[in-house]
Amino acid sequence: MAGDRDYKMILGAFLQAANCSNYAASWRHPASDPGFLTAEYYQEIARTLEQGKFHFGFIDDRLAMPSRYNDSVEDTIRHGIRAVKLDLTPVVMAMTLATRYLGVSATYSTTYHAPFHIARLFSTLDHFSGGRAAWNVVTSLNDSEAQNFGTDAHEGHETRYDRADEVLEIITGLWDSWEDDALVLDKKAGTFADPDKVRRLDYEGEWLSSRGPLTVPRPPQGYPVIMQAGQSVRGREFAARWAETVFAIFRSMDAGREICNDLKTRAERHGRSADDMKVVTAAYAVVGETESMARDKLAYIESIAHPSDTPVLLSELLNYDFGQHSSDELLEDKHLDAISGSRGLAERMMASGIEYPTFGDFLDQSRRGTIWELPVFVGSPTQIADEMEEWFRSGACDGFMVAAPYLPGAYQDFVRMIVPELQRRGVFHKDYKSDTLRGNLGLRRP
C-alpha cells in the first residue's frame, strides 16, 4: 500500500432508471423490487444511499432501446435487457426530494440535446436540490439513438468529442452569465437584479452558437459537478479539460494507477490541479455474513443471466451488429475498425494482449452483460473492505461506483455490513461535511 491518504474514499452508486440495474439479469432476481416505474422505488434507493453516507447516485442512460443486435428489439423486450429507460429529470427530483445530502448525477447527451437546454435544466436542478446536482457528460453511442432523433447514423467518435468541447464552452459560459450576487430583490427600490452582473454570451463556434444570457441565475455550486466516463484516448483528453469526477472501469490496481496518473497529468497540462479531478471505478459487491454465504449469493446471481444479454448489450455499446456473424467466424481488423460506439472498451480489449480469433471469443472476453463485466468484490464485510481499502490506499482510485446485482437489497446489504467496516478503518467518512455535493467531494467552487 502507498500509505495513508489525506482524504476519504468517495462512494457513488451506479444506477439505471430502468427495469434492471447495471446487471441486465437483475430484474429476474426474486429479491428485486418490480416498482421501477414509480417514484417511491428510486426514493427508497436514495434514502438507503444517504443512510450509508454515499456521496452520490450516478444514473446511466441511453436514448434508445438496445436494438443494434440483429437490427431488432425482440431479444431486448422478451428478455428485459435494459428495455425500459425513464427520463432522468423527474427521477433526479424524486431522489433529491427524499434526501438532504445525497448528490444525484444525471446522464445527458451533448450530441442530442441543445447546450442552452442542458445549461438551464442542470442549473434548475442544482437550485431545487440545494446544490446537489451533477451532470454526467456523454456523446452517446449508436445509430439507434441517432435514429430516434431523426438522423440516419451516429456521428464519428472524434467529431462527437470535438463538438462536445463547444457544448461545454457554451454551457459553462451560460452558467457564468450571471454573477453570484447579481440578484438584488430590492422591492422598495424596484430593482430585481443588477444588469451589470448579467451578460450575454454571444458564442460562435464551428458547430454551435448561443446568445445568452441563461434564464436561470447562477447555480448554487457555481457549476453542477461535471462528471464523465470516456476512456478512449480522446475521451481522456476531454475529461482532462472538463471533468471533475471521472468514472473509469478497470480490472486491476495497476491499470487503475495508470489511468489515474494519465488523467491527472493531462488535467495539469490544461492548467488544472490534480485535486480538481476525482477518479472513481465501478465494482459489484456481493457480501454475506461469511464468505461461503457470499459465494452462494454470487452463484445464484450468475445463474439468472441469459445468453442474449451479452450480444445485445455489446452490440448497443459498440454500435456494431454482432448478430450478423456466427460465433466461430474469424474476427478481422476490418471488423474492429467498424466499431464506432464506445472506443474506450474496444481500445482496452485490443491493447490487452489477448487474441480474439473468433467473434465468439470476443463476446466471451468482453464479459458485457455479465456480473464479471466489472470487478466483483465477494466475501464477508471484512474481506470486501480489505480489497476496497487496498485499491484506495494504493492510488488505484479515489473511490468506487458501487453497482448492484439486484435492487434495492444489494445496497441495503452494503450499507448495513460494509460501510461500518470502512468507517471503522477511517477510510470512509462518518457523516457529510457540506450541504453541497461539490463540498462533500472536496472540489473547489468555480
Side-chain angles (χ1 to χ4, degrees):
M1 295 187 186
D4 290 341
R5 304 174 75 171
D6 59 2
Y7 57 91
K8 305 294 186 183
M9 178 187 295
I10 293 167
L11 284 183
F14 193 7
L15 304 170
Q16 302 274 337
N19 63 293
C20 55
S21 71
N22 301 91
Y23 183 48
S26 67
W27 71 270
R28 304 180 191 115
H29 198 290
S32 283
D33 184 340
F36 56 86
L37 293 177
T38 68
E40 290 79 7
Y41 173 86
Y42 301 97
Q43 290 181 319
E44 181 181 0
I45 293 170
R47 284 190 287 264
T48 296
L49 297 176
E50 185 162 273
Q51 179 186 349
K53 311 302 180 185
F54 272 62
H55 292 79
F56 58 85
F58 174 99
I59 311 177
D60 187 24
D61 196 25
R62 301 279 189 276
L63 297 172
M65 278 189 189
S67 58
R68 294 289 288 129
Y69 183 61
N70 290 325
D71 193 26
S72 169
V73 296
E74 181 177 350
D75 285 283
T76 295
I77 294 173
R78 184 180 305 281
H79 303 298
I81 308 172
R82 299 189 190 170
V84 174
K85 301 174 188 297
L86 304 184
D87 186 276
L88 301 190
T89 306
V91 175
V92 169
M93 285 310 307
M95 293 177 71
T96 57
L97 287 171
T99 53
R100 175 69 182 83
Y101 297 101
L102 182 75
V104 184
S105 175
T107 298
Y108 239 69
S109 173
T110 59
T111 303
Y112 298 114
H113 297 296
F116 190 92
H117 169 67
I118 297 172
R120 185 170 69 161
L121 171 62
F122 280 90
S123 185
T124 303
L125 289 174
D126 206 44
H127 280 285
F128 277 27
S129 66
R132 293 185 284 142
W135 170 31
N136 175 41
V137 182
V138 298
T139 64
S140 293
L141 288 169
N142 60 51
D143 291 347
S144 299
E145 293 175 287
Q147 289 155 12
N148 279 347
F149 285 81
T151 305
D152 290 337
H154 200 40
E155 289 180 338
H157 182 265
E158 301 298 309
T159 300
R160 296 200 308 269
Y161 273 111
D162 290 346
R163 187 179 181 278
D165 277 321
E166 288 196 7
V167 173
L168 267 293
E169 288 169 0
I170 291 173
I171 289 173
T172 54
L174 289 170
W175 287 334
D176 285 335
S177 65
W178 287 70
E179 294 186 19
D180 287 326
D181 58 350
L183 279 176
V184 177
L185 299 178
D186 186 334
K187 295 181 181 180
K188 187 174 182 180
T191 303
F192 175 73
D194 185 343
D196 291 332
K197 296 182 178 181
V198 182
R199 61 187 66 85
R200 280 167 47 174
L201 179 61
D202 291 324
Y203 181 95
E204 293 287 342
E206 182 178 351
W207 287 278
L208 300 162
S209 62
S210 183
R211 183 185 185 190
L214 192 63
T215 56
V216 182
R218 188 165 169 83
Q221 297 185 96
Y223 301 166
V225 175
I226 298 173
M227 300 186 175
Q228 192 257 0
Q231 283 184 248
S232 65
V233 173
R234 182 64 179 90
R236 291 191 195 190
E237 193 61 26
F238 182 84
R241 183 178 178 191
W242 299 108
E244 297 171 297
T245 301
V246 179
F247 177 22
I249 296 175
F250 41 83
R251 301 187 186 279
S252 71
M253 288 185 285
D254 286 344
R257 284 189 289 268
E258 184 277 322
I259 290 173
C260 282
N261 290 337
D262 179 61
L263 284 166
K264 294 186 179 188
T265 299
R266 289 173 186 266
E268 289 171 342
R269 288 203 295 265
H270 281 277
R272 303 174 64 196
S273 164
D275 293 335
D276 291 338
M277 176 187 287
K278 309 296 182 185
V279 180
V280 296
T281 190
Y284 286 105
V286 181
V287 62
E289 282 76 6
T290 66
E291 181 180 359
S292 176
M293 294 171 71
R295 295 285 174 189
D296 288 344
K297 280 186 180 181
L298 177 61
Y300 183 78
I301 290 165
E302 290 182 276
S303 75
I304 60 176
H306 190 277
S308 293
D309 294 346
T310 293
V312 166
L313 290 176
L314 194 63
S315 295
E316 175 201 40
L317 184 69
L318 299 185
N319 196 30
Y320 187 87
D321 180 9
F322 285 90
Q324 62 188 305
H325 304 285
S326 65
S327 61
D328 59 357
E329 184 177 341
L330 292 178
L331 178 68
E332 301 176 21
D333 288 342
K334 66 181 180 181
H335 300 128
L336 295 173
D337 291 340
I339 291 171
S340 61
S342 173
R343 290 300 304 176
L345 174 63
E347 288 174 9
R348 288 199 308 276
M349 291 184 70
M350 286 184 276
S352 67
I354 300 173
E355 294 186 2
Y356 310 105
T358 69
F359 277 89
D361 295 325
F362 189 85
L363 263 67
D364 289 344
Q365 290 298 324
S366 78
R367 303 180 184 178
R368 185 70 173 163
T370 76
I371 193 74
W372 297 103
E373 181 179 4
L374 306 176
V376 180
F377 297 146
V378 56
S380 68
T382 300
Q383 289 172 312
I384 291 176
D386 282 344
E387 288 192 84
M388 295 180 71
E389 182 179 8
E390 185 177 12
W391 282 52
F392 173 70
R393 289 198 188 278
S394 73
C397 61
D398 295 312
F400 295 89
M401 199 86 80
V402 181
Y406 56 93
L407 288 167
Y411 286 126
Q412 293 167 347
D413 288 346
F414 189 96
V415 168
R416 178 171 60 89
M417 290 191 272
I418 300 173
V419 166
E421 181 64 21
L422 293 172
Q423 291 171 328
R424 184 187 67 78
R425 297 166 185 230
V427 294
F428 183 59
H429 66 193
K430 293 185 177 180
D431 206 352
Y432 298 102
K433 64 181 181 182
S434 172
D435 291 337
T436 70
L437 174 59
R438 184 174 291 279
N440 285 314
L441 289 174
L443 295 169
R444 65 179 181 85
R445 188 181 191 279

